[in-house]
Amino acid sequence: EDQAHLFYTLGAATYLDAPDSYDALAARTNPVLRENFGELYDSVANAIANHTGHPAILSDKLGLPGFHIFRGDPRVPPGLMFGGTIHMDKPHERHGFPLTLDGTLSLTLPLCIPAEGAGMYFWQNVPDRQLTGPKVPHDMSHEQVAWFDTHKQFVGYTVGALILHDGLTVHQLANPGRTTADEWRISLQGHGVLSDGRWELFF
């Protein structure tokens, strides 16, 4: 295969699927996700409630939290340049949530990771000038790449350990080591908005 890497999703994803197809895709995939991963969703919702003090429910009108599935590729070097976009998560802005929310979150539950590990880079106090222009490192200026590479911090993933953050922290998928073609990076991914005292979870 000539692709630099292989990436799949399972479920309707706000940031990937066009607005005119998202609803139909969610309607098709939600029943399959509920049937096959109901216990997993319950565990995640309970963990979020225990950690935040607010109950968490699955959205009844949006796509359910879904999956990122990456196949390993030994040709792809690890590090900043090959980690995908540097971004913040704002999928709630595309859906009809109240203008004033009490909180947002992004969740990652690693289910399978390569031998060399997996994780997330993140940045704090990013100057505005670094957030303008391209978000993919290989399209950025040398100055931007140098800044992000110098200031990156790393959170490593552990299978079964839920990662929660507000989504508004600047971050990037990170691969700390090379992968092989028979390795997989699979995680449950989702977002949440806090309104009326409870989290509504979606993808």
Side-chain angles (χ1 to χ4, degrees), residues 110-142:
L111 301 172
C112 179
I113 60 176
E116 293 294 320
M120 179 179 74
Y121 293 134
F122 71 97
W123 293 266
Q124 297 174 315
N125 303 315
V126 182
D128 289 342
R129 71 177 185 279
Q130 304 296 359
L131 293 174
T132 60
K135 300 299 186 291
V136 180
H138 62 252
D139 289 332
M140 290 178 172
S141 68
H142 293 302

Short mmCIF file of all heavy atoms in Angstrom, two decimals, residues 110-142:
data_model
loop_
_atom_site.label_atom_id
_atom_site.label_comp_id
_atom_site.label_asym_id
_atom_site.label_seq_id
_atom_site.Cartn_x
_atom_site.Cartn_y
_atom_site.Cartn_z
N PRO A 110 -7.93 4.51 25.34
CA PRO A 110 -7.10 3.61 24.54
C PRO A 110 -7.50 2.15 24.76
O PRO A 110 -7.62 1.69 25.90
CB PRO A 110 -5.68 3.88 25.06
CG PRO A 110 -5.76 5.19 25.77
CD PRO A 110 -7.14 5.23 26.34
N LEU A 111 -7.70 1.44 23.67
CA LEU A 111 -8.09 0.03 23.73
C LEU A 111 -6.99 -0.88 23.21
O LEU A 111 -6.94 -2.06 23.58
CB LEU A 111 -9.36 -0.18 22.91
CG LEU A 111 -10.57 0.64 23.37
CD1 LEU A 111 -11.71 0.50 22.38
CD2 LEU A 111 -11.00 0.23 24.77
N CYS A 112 -6.12 -0.35 22.36
CA CYS A 112 -5.01 -1.11 21.80
C CYS A 112 -3.94 -0.11 21.40
O CYS A 112 -4.27 0.89 20.73
CB CYS A 112 -5.48 -1.93 20.60
SG CYS A 112 -4.19 -2.91 19.81
N ILE A 113 -2.70 -0.32 21.81
CA ILE A 113 -1.64 0.62 21.44
C ILE A 113 -0.42 -0.17 20.97
O ILE A 113 -0.20 -1.31 21.37
CB ILE A 113 -1.25 1.57 22.60
CG1 ILE A 113 -0.75 0.79 23.81
CG2 ILE A 113 -2.41 2.46 22.97
CD1 ILE A 113 -0.25 1.70 24.92
N PRO A 114 0.41 0.46 20.10
CA PRO A 114 1.61 -0.21 19.61
C PRO A 114 2.62 -0.46 20.73
O PRO A 114 2.54 0.14 21.81
CB PRO A 114 2.17 0.79 18.58
CG PRO A 114 1.01 1.65 18.21
CD PRO A 114 0.18 1.76 19.45
N ALA A 115 3.57 -1.32 20.46
CA ALA A 115 4.58 -1.70 21.46
C ALA A 115 5.39 -0.49 21.94
O ALA A 115 5.78 -0.42 23.11
CB ALA A 115 5.51 -2.76 20.88
N GLU A 116 5.62 0.46 21.03
CA GLU A 116 6.41 1.65 21.39
C GLU A 116 5.57 2.72 22.07
O GLU A 116 6.06 3.80 22.39
CB GLU A 116 7.09 2.23 20.15
CG GLU A 116 8.16 1.34 19.54
CD GLU A 116 9.35 1.16 20.46
OE1 GLU A 116 9.76 2.14 21.11
OE2 GLU A 116 9.88 0.03 20.54
N GLY A 117 4.29 2.44 22.25
CA GLY A 117 3.43 3.38 22.98
C GLY A 117 2.61 4.28 22.07
O GLY A 117 2.71 4.24 20.84
N ALA A 118 1.78 5.08 22.70
CA ALA A 118 0.93 6.05 22.02
C ALA A 118 0.60 7.13 23.03
O ALA A 118 0.74 6.95 24.23
CB ALA A 118 -0.34 5.39 21.49
N GLY A 119 0.15 8.28 22.52
CA GLY A 119 -0.18 9.35 23.45
C GLY A 119 -0.61 10.61 22.74
O GLY A 119 -1.09 10.57 21.59
N MET A 120 -0.44 11.72 23.43
CA MET A 120 -0.87 13.02 22.94
C MET A 120 0.17 14.07 23.31
O MET A 120 0.68 14.07 24.44
CB MET A 120 -2.22 13.37 23.58
CG MET A 120 -2.79 14.71 23.18
SD MET A 120 -4.41 15.03 23.98
CE MET A 120 -3.88 15.39 25.66
N TYR A 121 0.52 14.91 22.35
CA TYR A 121 1.27 16.12 22.66
C TYR A 121 0.28 17.21 23.02
O TYR A 121 -0.82 17.28 22.45
CB TYR A 121 2.10 16.58 21.46
CG TYR A 121 3.22 15.66 21.05
CD1 TYR A 121 3.41 15.33 19.71
CD2 TYR A 121 4.12 15.15 21.98
CE1 TYR A 121 4.45 14.50 19.31
CE2 TYR A 121 5.16 14.32 21.59
CZ TYR A 121 5.32 14.00 20.26
OH TYR A 121 6.34 13.18 19.87
N PHE A 122 0.68 18.11 23.93
CA PHE A 122 -0.16 19.26 24.21
C PHE A 122 0.71 20.47 24.53
O PHE A 122 1.91 20.33 24.85
CB PHE A 122 -1.14 18.97 25.36
CG PHE A 122 -0.51 18.87 26.72
CD1 PHE A 122 -0.48 19.95 27.58
CD2 PHE A 122 0.06 17.67 27.15
CE1 PHE A 122 0.10 19.85 28.84
CE2 PHE A 122 0.64 17.56 28.41
CZ PHE A 122 0.66 18.65 29.26
N TRP A 123 0.09 21.64 24.40
CA TRP A 123 0.81 22.90 24.58
C TRP A 123 0.00 23.84 25.44
O TRP A 123 -1.23 23.90 25.32
CB TRP A 123 1.09 23.57 23.23
CG TRP A 123 2.05 22.81 22.37
CD1 TRP A 123 3.40 22.99 22.27
CD2 TRP A 123 1.73 21.74 21.46
NE1 TRP A 123 3.95 22.10 21.37
CE2 TRP A 123 2.95 21.32 20.86
CE3 TRP A 123 0.56 21.10 21.10
CZ2 TRP A 123 3.00 20.31 19.91
CZ3 TRP A 123 0.60 20.08 20.17
CH2 TRP A 123 1.81 19.69 19.58
N GLN A 124 0.68 24.60 26.26
CA GLN A 124 0.05 25.61 27.10
C GLN A 124 0.58 26.98 26.72
O GLN A 124 1.72 27.13 26.26
CB GLN A 124 0.32 25.32 28.58
CG GLN A 124 -0.29 23.99 29.04
CD GLN A 124 0.10 23.64 30.46
OE1 GLN A 124 1.26 23.75 30.85
NE2 GLN A 124 -0.88 23.20 31.26
N ASN A 125 -0.25 27.99 26.91
CA ASN A 125 0.14 29.39 26.66
C ASN A 125 0.71 29.57 25.26
O ASN A 125 1.80 30.13 25.07
CB ASN A 125 1.16 29.85 27.71
CG ASN A 125 0.65 29.70 29.12
OD1 ASN A 125 -0.49 30.07 29.42
ND2 ASN A 125 1.47 29.17 30.01
N VAL A 126 -0.03 29.09 24.27
CA VAL A 126 0.43 29.19 22.87
C VAL A 126 0.20 30.62 22.38
O VAL A 126 -0.93 31.11 22.43
CB VAL A 126 -0.34 28.20 21.97
CG1 VAL A 126 0.17 28.28 20.54
CG2 VAL A 126 -0.21 26.78 22.51
N PRO A 127 1.24 31.29 21.89
CA PRO A 127 1.05 32.64 21.34
C PRO A 127 0.10 32.62 20.15
O PRO A 127 0.09 31.67 19.36
CB PRO A 127 2.48 33.04 20.90
CG PRO A 127 3.39 32.16 21.70
CD PRO A 127 2.65 30.87 21.87
N ASP A 128 -0.68 33.67 20.01
CA ASP A 128 -1.67 33.73 18.93
C ASP A 128 -1.04 33.53 17.56
O ASP A 128 -1.63 32.90 16.68
CB ASP A 128 -2.41 35.08 18.97
CG ASP A 128 -3.35 35.19 20.16
OD1 ASP A 128 -3.70 34.15 20.74
OD2 ASP A 128 -3.73 36.33 20.49
N ARG A 129 0.16 34.07 17.37
CA ARG A 129 0.78 33.98 16.05
C ARG A 129 1.10 32.53 15.65
O ARG A 129 1.20 32.22 14.46
CB ARG A 129 2.06 34.83 16.00
CG ARG A 129 3.23 34.28 16.80
CD ARG A 129 4.48 35.13 16.67
NE ARG A 129 5.63 34.55 17.32
CZ ARG A 129 5.87 34.64 18.63
NH1 ARG A 129 5.04 35.29 19.42
NH2 ARG A 129 6.96 34.09 19.14
N GLN A 130 1.26 31.67 16.66
CA GLN A 130 1.55 30.27 16.35
C GLN A 130 0.29 29.50 15.93
O GLN A 130 0.39 28.40 15.37
CB GLN A 130 2.19 29.57 17.56
CG GLN A 130 3.44 30.25 18.09
CD GLN A 130 4.60 30.23 17.09
OE1 GLN A 130 4.49 29.70 16.00
NE2 GLN A 130 5.71 30.83 17.47
N LEU A 131 -0.88 30.07 16.20
CA LEU A 131 -2.12 29.39 15.89
C LEU A 131 -2.74 29.86 14.58
O LEU A 131 -3.81 29.40 14.20
CB LEU A 131 -3.13 29.60 17.03
CG LEU A 131 -2.75 28.94 18.36
CD1 LEU A 131 -3.72 29.33 19.45
CD2 LEU A 131 -2.69 27.42 18.20
N THR A 132 -2.08 30.76 13.89
CA THR A 132 -2.58 31.22 12.60
C THR A 132 -1.97 30.38 11.48
O THR A 132 -0.87 29.84 11.61
CB THR A 132 -2.25 32.70 12.36
OG1 THR A 132 -0.82 32.88 12.38
CG2 THR A 132 -2.86 33.57 13.45
N GLY A 133 -2.71 30.24 10.38
CA GLY A 133 -2.19 29.51 9.23
C GLY A 133 -2.39 28.02 9.36
O GLY A 133 -3.26 27.56 10.10
N PRO A 134 -1.59 27.24 8.65
CA PRO A 134 -1.77 25.77 8.61
C PRO A 134 -1.67 25.13 9.99
O PRO A 134 -0.91 25.58 10.85
CB PRO A 134 -0.63 25.30 7.70
CG PRO A 134 -0.23 26.50 6.92
CD PRO A 134 -0.45 27.67 7.81
N LYS A 135 -2.42 24.07 10.17
CA LYS A 135 -2.40 23.34 11.44
C LYS A 135 -1.63 22.02 11.32
O LYS A 135 -1.42 21.33 12.31
CB LYS A 135 -3.83 23.05 11.90
CG LYS A 135 -4.67 24.30 12.13
CD LYS A 135 -4.09 25.19 13.20
CE LYS A 135 -5.00 26.37 13.54
NZ LYS A 135 -5.09 27.37 12.46
N VAL A 136 -1.25 21.65 10.11
CA VAL A 136 -0.49 20.42 9.89
C VAL A 136 0.99 20.80 9.84
O VAL A 136 1.38 21.68 9.05
CB VAL A 136 -0.91 19.73 8.58
CG1 VAL A 136 -0.11 18.45 8.38
CG2 VAL A 136 -2.40 19.44 8.59
N PRO A 137 1.85 20.17 10.67
CA PRO A 137 3.24 20.61 10.77
C PRO A 137 3.99 20.72 9.45
O PRO A 137 4.77 21.65 9.26
CB PRO A 137 3.86 19.56 11.70
CG PRO A 137 2.73 19.16 12.58
CD PRO A 137 1.52 19.16 11.69
N HIS A 138 3.77 19.77 8.52
CA HIS A 138 4.58 19.85 7.30
C HIS A 138 4.18 21.02 6.40
O HIS A 138 4.86 21.31 5.43
CB HIS A 138 4.56 18.52 6.53
CG HIS A 138 3.21 18.09 6.05
ND1 HIS A 138 2.54 17.05 6.62
CD2 HIS A 138 2.42 18.56 5.06
CE1 HIS A 138 1.38 16.87 6.01
NE2 HIS A 138 1.29 17.78 5.06
N ASP A 139 3.07 21.71 6.74
CA ASP A 139 2.69 22.92 6.00
C ASP A 139 3.02 24.20 6.76
O ASP A 139 2.82 25.29 6.24
CB ASP A 139 1.19 22.90 5.69
CG ASP A 139 0.83 21.85 4.64
OD1 ASP A 139 1.69 21.53 3.80
OD2 ASP A 139 -0.32 21.36 4.67
N MET A 140 3.50 24.07 7.97
CA MET A 140 3.79 25.24 8.80
C MET A 140 5.12 25.87 8.42
O MET A 140 5.96 25.24 7.77
CB MET A 140 3.83 24.84 10.28
CG MET A 140 2.50 24.47 10.89
SD MET A 140 2.73 23.96 12.62
CE MET A 140 1.02 23.84 13.14
N SER A 141 5.31 27.10 8.89
CA SER A 141 6.60 27.75 8.71
C SER A 141 7.63 27.07 9.62
O SER A 141 7.28 26.40 10.59
CB SER A 141 6.51 29.23 9.08
OG SER A 141 6.30 29.39 10.47
N HIS A 142 8.90 27.27 9.29
CA HIS A 142 9.97 26.69 10.11
C HIS A 142 9.89 27.22 11.55
O HIS A 142 10.15 26.50 12.51
CB HIS A 142 11.34 26.99 9.51
CG HIS A 142 11.58 26.30 8.20
ND1 HIS A 142 11.52 24.94 8.06
CD2 HIS A 142 11.90 26.79 6.97
CE1 HIS A 142 11.78 24.60 6.81
NE2 HIS A 142 12.00 25.71 6.12
#
